[in-house]
Amino acid sequence: MLHRMALRVLPSLSLAVTEEAVRKRKRIVMFVPGLIAFGVYRLAKHLVPIAEPLVLLAVSALVAMVTAALAYRVGRAAPWAEIMRHDGVRLLSWLVGWIGAVYGIQLSLLVLTLLWIMSYSYLQHPDGPAMMAIIISCTSVARDAFEIGHVRRLTQMGRPFLTFPDGAPLRLLLQCKAGQLGPWVLAGLALGALASSPGLLIADVQGGALAQLFAVTVLGGGVTLCAYFGGLYPSTPWVQTLRRTAPGELMKYWWWPGMAFASTYYLVAMGLLLFVMRQPTMTPGSAAGMGAIVTAIMALYGYYLGDRRHVEDEQAPQLSSGMLRCPFVMGILGKTIGSTDATGELALGKTGIKG
């Protein structure tokens, strides 16, 4: 789900996909596939054993793959021949495979796990959860594929973007800055393993899972926030920048993408355990492993987003007033606590936003 974070956290991408005309088209793009997905569900329940988790995930993945391709074409606003000629098989394979199949499966597991925590288990009552898993994953894939297609369209029209929301910049970061990333990932592994342990003391299965989810969400969000500052200002200690930023503004980024995606990934991991591996409960080892992996991923992604924002600041330091529509820019980049020393200026100076 790194593409989702990049599309909202990086100002250049966020501005491109939140223009009013784009948002209006996006609502239609999300609505129509949702209706079609409902029809597919109604048909699939009579043709395949939709109560089997792997079958449901396969159906969800197939629907999401088709949805990703069609929504991308709408955002791209070009015929398939032109898209194939300019975008290439590699980009389209990534879109259909990752934004379609993998992302669709993740979202389906997210829905199933949320319903399980609320005592509405897919394994006991498959119809309702299966329908919601297919529809919600389909509409979310349509939204993101459309936005990616729109970004690609703008690129072809000559509007440059320093970061395309795929995995290429992340792979480059791993190659060039493994030493800087290592401590953050290790910290995420340790904190995540500790965070998931207290829930194991609760006898109720759903209650324990909820406690683990809360702990991983809070700590994962905090690690993401700190790692983001580490990547954003590599020459300044992240603690110093943290102290100079207003608590209210820190909370906004701690919540999104930090806590929001830490909880999302943990729910997906729980879904894999519950519905794919068919484990009725979470052992201490599995809970610690899931928490460690999720928090380490969030630390990696937080540093990556900060690094890409640093690149944007270096290349295009002044933001237009339209960028203020981005909640993230209004938040974490908007205000700092009173100081005007070097660190305080660093936190605001490149945004053009007055505190």
Side-chain angles (χ1 to χ4, degrees), residues 8-310:
R8 284 298 178 271
V9 170
L10 299 181
S12 62
L13 294 174
S14 181
L15 178 62
V17 300
T18 54
E19 296 173 351
E20 187 58 31
V22 178
R23 294 171 67 183
K24 289 180 179 179
R25 293 181 64 202
K26 184 164 52 182
R27 295 188 191 104
I28 299 174
V29 169
M30 294 176 66
F31 178 71
V32 174
L35 288 178
I36 296 175
F38 176 73
V40 170
Y41 158 75
R42 297 290 297 178
L43 179 64
K45 68 181 293 187
H46 297 293
L47 299 178
V48 295
I50 206 74
E52 287 295 322
L54 293 180
V55 173
L56 171 61
L57 294 177
V59 171
S60 182
L62 288 173
V63 172
M65 290 167 69
V66 175
T67 300
L70 296 178
Y72 179 80
R73 183 184 181 278
V74 175
R76 189 71 168 76
W80 279 116
E82 180 181 338
I83 293 174
M84 289 295 296
R85 184 169 61 254
H86 291 291
D87 296 356
V89 175
R90 183 174 182 180
L91 174 59
L92 295 176
S93 299
W94 166 79
L95 178 87
V96 173
W98 196 259
I99 305 301
V102 176
Y103 189 39
I105 290 172
Q106 288 178 329
L107 292 168
S108 295
L109 289 172
L110 168 68
V111 172
L112 297 180
T113 309
L114 277 173
L115 294 174
W116 176 82
I117 288 178
M118 294 185 289
S119 299
Y120 187 28
S121 176
Y122 160 73
L123 298 177
Q124 296 177 352
H125 311 282
D127 283 354
M131 179 185 67
M132 286 185 276
I134 293 174
I135 293 175
I136 292 174
S137 63
C138 177
T139 55
S140 298
V141 166
R143 175 199 60 203
D144 292 4
F146 170 79
E147 291 183 352
I148 293 170
H150 180 68
V151 169
R152 182 64 179 166
R153 172 175 173 265
L154 294 178
T155 301
Q156 289 295 311
M157 293 172 62
R159 179 172 171 178
F161 291 95
L162 295 171
T163 302
F164 187 77
D166 61 2
L170 178 61
R171 291 192 292 271
L172 181 62
L173 180 69
L174 289 170
Q175 293 173 4
C176 299
K177 297 186 178 181
Q180 293 92 319
L181 285 169
W184 291 109
V185 174
L186 291 175
L189 287 170
L191 291 173
L194 291 174
S196 58
S197 301
L200 298 171
L201 302 176
I202 300 175
D204 178 67
V205 176
Q206 275 84 4
L210 190 60
Q212 292 166 355
L213 173 64
F214 177 78
V216 172
T217 297
V218 172
L219 282 179
V223 170
T224 306
L225 173 64
C226 297
Y228 172 81
F229 279 131
L232 180 60
Y233 307 130
S235 60
T236 304
W238 64 269
V239 175
Q240 189 175 355
T241 307
L242 196 70
R243 290 173 178 171
R244 301 300 182 187
T245 307
E249 309 310 318
L250 292 175
M251 181 63 69
K252 293 177 183 178
Y253 186 78
W254 185 25
W255 161 245
W256 204 104
M259 290 196 293
F261 281 92
S263 62
T264 297
Y265 276 117
Y266 196 69
L267 287 168
V268 171
M270 289 173 61
L272 285 171
L273 187 70
L274 294 169
F275 302 111
V276 176
M277 300 178 67
R278 294 293 191 99
Q279 297 294 320
T281 59
M282 284 175 285
T283 64
S286 61
M290 289 189 303
I293 292 172
V294 167
T295 312
I297 289 174
M298 291 307 301
L300 172 63
Y301 285 0
Y303 191 96
Y304 164 78
L305 293 170
D307 179 77
R308 297 314 301 173
R309 177 57 206 259
H310 175 73

